[in-house]
Amino acid sequence: MQFFFDICYMASKYHFFKKYRQTLIYSFSLAFLLFLMKWLEYRFIIFNHSFKIYAGIIAVIFTGLGIWLALKLSKPKVETIIVEKEIIIPQADGFIINEKELQKLNLSNREYEVLEYIAKGLSNEEIAKKLFVSISTIKTHNQNLYAKLDVKSRTQAIEKAKRLQIIC
């Protein structure tokens, strides 16, 4: 039965080609001529305007190269710097002052008191009132402390004193 359907299908297909033979030949020839004309047109454009086309291609290449180079050169150079810093955990119970370091630094009793008040976070005025001295005297003690501890700020002085275990 299938064979019969195949024969009928092929016969109908053949009949379609036979019936519309002239139309198919005409349409395929028109398509071929249209393709040929477009190909000749593009070829004509390329030959007549070849310098402009090549100059345009070179301009596009150099524009792309310029953009790539600008992006490459203007990219910020980011460096990651890892800073290792020792963290001192204060010992609340049984803190012992490191007497050797204290003698090595040669701090006076008053300078040591000022250092303790600085570590508590008091200002120069507050320290002067507690110790019954002038603010300029406290500033002088601060400068002596900075010189003996080899630091430049209150924060550095406190950090170094804690590291040396002369304050808690």
Side-chain angles (χ1 to χ4, degrees):
M1 191 71 164
Q2 180 68 25
F3 181 71
F4 178 73
F5 288 124
D6 290 341
I7 290 175
C8 287
Y9 176 72
M10 291 172 74
S12 67
K13 198 175 184 184
Y14 178 73
H15 179 67
F16 174 80
F17 285 122
K18 189 174 181 183
K19 184 177 179 181
Y20 296 106
R21 181 174 182 241
Q22 291 290 349
T23 308
L24 290 172
I25 290 173
Y26 182 70
S27 62
F28 281 121
S29 63
L30 279 178
F32 176 74
L33 286 174
L34 183 64
F35 173 76
L36 183 66
M37 287 176 62
K38 282 294 182 182
W39 181 74
L40 288 173
E41 181 184 355
Y42 288 135
R43 190 169 172 205
F44 175 72
I45 288 172
I46 290 173
F47 283 140
N48 281 347
H49 303 289
S50 63
F51 176 75
K52 294 176 185 174
I53 291 172
Y54 292 135
I57 291 171
I58 290 171
V60 167
I61 289 171
F62 277 105
T63 301
L65 183 65
I67 291 170
W68 174 79
L69 190 61
L71 290 174
K72 199 75 162 168
L73 292 176
S74 67
K75 191 182 297 183
K77 295 176 182 160
V78 179
E79 282 187 39
T80 304
I81 299 173
I82 299 172
V83 177
E84 292 184 18
K85 189 171 184 181
E86 183 180 345
I87 299 173
I88 299 169
I89 301 171
Q91 300 170 349
D93 57 324
F95 176 74
I96 301 171
I97 296 173
N98 190 348
E99 294 291 335
K100 289 181 183 179
E101 287 295 330
L102 197 56
Q103 288 175 357
K104 192 187 293 185
L105 290 173
N106 197 20
L107 293 178
S108 68
N109 290 337
R110 191 58 97 174
E111 289 170 346
Y112 185 71
E113 284 180 281
V114 170
L115 181 61
E116 285 180 328
Y117 285 130
I118 289 173
K120 289 179 184 175
L122 299 179
S123 67
N124 286 341
E125 292 91 18
E126 294 170 332
I127 297 171
K129 285 180 185 176
K130 286 206 179 244
L131 296 179
F132 304 107
V133 293
S134 69
I135 295 175
S136 63
T137 306
I138 297 300
K139 289 181 180 179
T140 305
H141 288 310
N142 284 344
Q143 293 302 318
N144 292 339
L145 275 171
Y146 296 166
K148 289 180 181 179
L149 290 172
D150 192 29
V151 294
K152 294 183 179 170
S153 70
R154 288 174 161 247
T155 310
Q156 289 176 350
I158 294 167
E159 191 269 328
K160 188 164 184 178
K162 284 184 179 180
R163 190 167 15 100
L164 296 174
Q165 295 180 345
I166 56 176
I167 60 170
C168 62

